[in-house]
Amino acid sequence: MSLIKWTDREDFPTFNNVIEKFFNGEGGLLSMVSKGTSVPAVNISENKKAFEIELAVPGMSKEDFNISVEKDRLIVRSEREETKEEKEKHFTQREYSYSSFYRSFKLPENANSESIDAKYDNGVLRVMIAKLVPSAPETRLIEIA
């Protein structure tokens, strides 16, 4: 009689399997790095007048970003491809690199999607989203019948 250990079963997740999948599985951390995909660090803050989203994306230029509003979401995308070629007397060396990221943020109900500004400075992309100005309730007279 042979005993089957639970950890020998393929359908039972072990700690090692989970870690392996996280780093090396399809869409895992190492596959994203090898494909040039990264997820920039983000800070989100709010004050009385606006929301501010800061993304840490050093080494880029403002032309590398695409920022849009789609329904109730703010979408920040970046795609950059670089080619470097060095010619020497007897050989040519070419290097290619590709990097991209995609971030999506749900806009709060009080965000003014018509008033969004962005600025890129010293490796930080700042997106400022104005808040809607609350309208004062309308005053109306009620006739007594």
Side-chain angles (χ1 to χ4, degrees):
M1 174 161 96
S2 71
L3 295 174
I4 299 175
K5 293 189 243 172
W6 280 103
T7 55
D8 291 340
R9 293 184 47 187
E10 290 178 22
D11 59 339
F12 186 78
T14 64
F15 180 74
N16 287 341
N17 292 348
V18 171
I19 295 299
E20 175 69 23
K21 191 176 221 178
F22 175 76
F23 284 104
N24 298 321
E26 185 175 332
L29 187 61
L30 291 180
S31 70
M32 286 193 297
V33 170
S34 67
K35 291 178 184 172
T37 303
S38 63
V39 181
V42 174
N43 288 327
I44 300 175
S45 60
E46 175 183 6
N47 60 39
K48 291 181 181 181
K49 295 183 179 185
F51 300 96
E52 183 173 3
I53 300 174
E54 296 177 318
L55 292 97
V57 282
M60 302 185 92
S61 66
K62 67 181 187 175
E63 291 79 18
D64 294 329
F65 301 104
N66 180 330
I67 303 171
S68 62
V69 175
E70 299 173 14
K71 296 186 181 179
D72 62 345
R73 302 199 77 74
L74 176 77
I75 310 293
V76 181
R77 294 179 179 97
S78 175
E79 219 172 310
R80 187 170 72 164
E81 188 174 340
E82 288 185 71
T83 304
K84 180 180 170 184
E85 185 173 312
E86 293 180 21
K87 291 188 177 188
E88 293 289 328
K89 193 172 190 177
H90 299 288
F91 68 93
T92 299
Q93 177 181 346
R94 290 187 188 129
E95 294 182 11
Y96 301 95
S97 70
Y98 175 83
S99 64
S100 69
F101 75 85
Y102 171 94
R103 294 296 305 253
S104 171
F105 306 93
K106 184 168 178 15
L107 293 173
E109 287 183 23
N110 62 337
N112 184 351
S113 63
E114 301 296 319
S115 181
I116 299 176
D117 295 309
K119 182 177 171 181
Y120 181 70
D121 189 35
N122 291 327
V124 177
L125 177 64
R126 286 182 177 80
V127 181
M128 287 74 63
I129 307 157
K131 289 184 176 180
L132 291 170
V133 178
S135 58
E138 249 182 63
T139 304
R140 61 186 179 108
L141 294 175
I142 309 295
E143 275 190 47
I144 301 172

